[in-house]
Amino acid sequence: MKGTNITHNSQDIIFKKMSELFKDETLKYYELNLPKIISVKPTELPVINVSDRNMDFVFELEDNSLLHLEFQTTWKKADLLRFAQYDIALYQKERRKINTVVIYSGKYESAENELDMGLNKYKVLQVFMIKYDGIKRYKEIKRKIEKEEELTDKDLMDLVFLPLMRNEKSEEEVTKEALELAITIPDENKKEAVIGSLLGFSDNYVREEYLNKLKEVIRMTKIGASLFEEGVEKGKREGERKGKLEERKELIIEILNQRFGEDFDKRLEEKIKNANEEIINQIKKNILNITLEELKEILK
């Protein structure tokens, strides 16, 4: 996730929780006539130049085809081209049929679903969350939890998708409310499945600065605490690595000053301070026999 110190590797935990919840109910929930989901797949693709982000989610279906799921809180015609490029790259990698479904938040009642390129046409299925009453479902689920009634699979799915339903508040505010409500679910497995799914999806429609406000809510749960702490530990390790790199740079500057004297000017010193780890390692390896011209060439 973006701003919560939850690392990219932690998505494995989130995807596992999503798989537990989504296998049987997702497609029924959206009234999509597709084979059952059997697993969540990684979304990194080798050839994507259209954006610095990945596809939202890819699921493997029972018939060996794939479900490409995108969540949209805005609409632009260019999005269809982006989804088409994703699908071409995904097909190139997997060589399987792809079913692309775009889920629109409660702000939208309709959107174009086809890209006409002449003989070739690209089409997606669509789900408009405006038909789901988020305020009503929040109250119903909260009442059931307070009365310690067992939550159905549909209740759990509604809680996950609450931020995208028709609401008076923003997706971000509703995400926070949904997380706070999910924390109170008595069943630990259901709680973790809902929270993991909320975290997985919220990264696609919640601004980074608002995710920081959710940090304390996330940390109150076992799954959230483990994800957050992993991020902290990784941050510490990254900080230590950067600290050691700075120490190496200082040592290299000191040695080169001794070797080249005034010829090693402030401009070269500044370039070393700004150099990446690969360049620093290259200089360090040859520091006792490197010539001034070779140094300048490396630092170009």
Side-chain angles (χ1 to χ4, degrees):
M1 291 178 68
K2 295 174 283 196
T4 54
N5 287 330
I6 293 179
T7 67
H8 182 71
N9 291 337
S10 298
Q11 286 187 352
D12 291 342
I13 302 172
I14 291 172
F15 283 179
K16 182 177 182 295
K17 295 302 174 185
M18 289 174 62
S19 294
E20 293 171 7
L21 183 60
F22 279 45
K23 278 186 180 178
D24 296 323
E25 295 301 318
T26 309
L27 302 177
K28 291 181 190 175
Y29 183 90
Y30 286 132
E31 301 172 13
L32 295 169
N33 186 25
L34 293 170
K36 285 184 180 180
I37 288 173
I38 60 173
S39 67
V40 186
K41 293 183 66 64
T43 58
E44 291 86 354
L45 293 171
V47 193
I48 293 257
N49 296 316
V50 294
S51 173
D52 60 359
R53 54 171 287 186
N54 292 318
M55 312 168 79
D56 282 353
F57 293 96
V58 177
F59 297 88
E60 188 171 16
L61 302 184
E62 203 172 37
D63 67 347
N64 199 44
S65 67
L66 299 172
L67 169 62
H68 167 197
L69 208 57
E70 288 284 339
F71 291 86
Q72 290 294 109
T73 57
T74 60
W75 181 84
K76 304 185 295 289
K77 191 163 186 177
D79 290 331
L80 284 175
L81 179 59
R82 177 163 59 89
F83 301 154
Q85 289 173 304
Y86 285 160
D87 285 342
I88 290 169
L90 181 60
Y91 183 81
Q92 184 178 3
K93 178 184 176 184
E94 297 281 343
R95 292 294 195 270
R96 299 200 234 176
K97 290 183 179 179
I98 302 167
N99 309 282
T100 301
V101 179
V102 184
I103 314 294
Y104 288 96
S105 74
K107 299 173 184 175
Y108 292 92
E109 296 184 21
S110 63
E112 290 184 39
N113 72 330
E114 185 173 283
L115 195 60
D116 190 343
M117 299 174 282
L119 289 176
N120 298 308
K121 289 180 172 60
Y122 174 77
K123 192 171 184 179
V124 300
L125 297 174
Q126 296 173 315
V127 175
F128 296 96
M129 296 298 288
I130 194 168
K131 65 180 179 180
Y132 298 93
D133 189 334
I135 298 171
K136 180 181 177 183
R137 288 305 292 137
Y138 175 82
K139 290 178 180 177
E140 289 172 347
I141 295 168
K142 185 178 180 182
R143 179 192 60 78
K144 290 182 78 170
I145 292 174
E146 288 173 346
K147 292 192 172 185
E148 298 184 354
E149 296 178 16
E150 187 173 353
L151 296 178
T152 65
D153 289 337
K154 186 180 184 305
D155 292 329
L156 300 178
M157 294 294 291
D158 278 346
L159 193 49
V160 169
F161 295 119
L162 202 65
L164 294 175
M165 293 182 186
R166 188 172 73 253
N167 279 292
E168 294 175 348
K169 300 177 181 178
S170 69
E171 290 97 352
E172 296 160 328
E173 291 173 305
V174 180
T175 299
K176 184 173 184 293
E177 290 182 349
L179 277 167
E180 289 172 340
L181 189 55
I183 289 169
T184 65
I185 297 174
D187 185 298
E188 198 65 32
N189 289 330
K190 290 180 178 179
K191 178 194 297 185
E192 290 193 6
V194 171
I195 290 171
S197 300
L198 273 166
L199 292 178
F201 283 125
S202 65
D203 203 37
N204 298 290
Y205 50 73
V206 175
R207 290 172 299 170
E208 182 172 348
E209 58 267 29
Y210 203 88
L211 282 170
N212 283 313
K213 297 179 182 179
L214 304 180
K215 188 184 297 182
E216 291 308 312
V217 179
I218 295 167
R219 287 184 67 175
M220 289 171 64
T221 69
K222 186 168 71 176
I223 181 176
S226 65
L227 293 171
F228 179 75
E229 290 306 323
E230 181 183 334
V232 170
E233 288 304 315
K234 183 175 181 182
K236 286 180 181 176
R237 292 194 298 271
E238 184 68 17
E240 289 171 1
R241 187 186 66 78
K242 286 181 178 177
K244 289 177 181 177
L245 178 59
E246 294 307 311
E247 288 176 6
R248 273 181 281 162
K249 288 179 180 179
E250 288 176 11
L251 180 60
I252 286 170
I253 289 170
E254 185 179 339
I255 294 171
L256 292 175
N257 259 317
Q258 291 175 1
R259 283 198 62 203
F260 299 118
E262 292 181 359
D263 290 332
F264 182 71
D265 57 27
K266 289 290 182 185
R267 186 174 55 84
L268 288 173
E269 183 177 328
E270 199 60 35
K271 283 188 175 183
I272 288 175
K273 287 179 179 178
N274 294 324
N276 60 35
E277 190 168 12
E278 183 181 351
I279 290 174
I280 293 301
N281 287 339
Q282 187 179 353
I283 295 171
K284 182 185 173 185
K285 186 178 178 181
N286 302 289
I287 195 163
L288 295 178
N289 52 31
I290 192 170
T291 67
L292 194 60
E293 290 306 314
E294 288 170 341
L295 178 65
K296 289 178 180 179
E297 186 66 27
I298 292 172
L299 292 172
K300 270 186 179 178

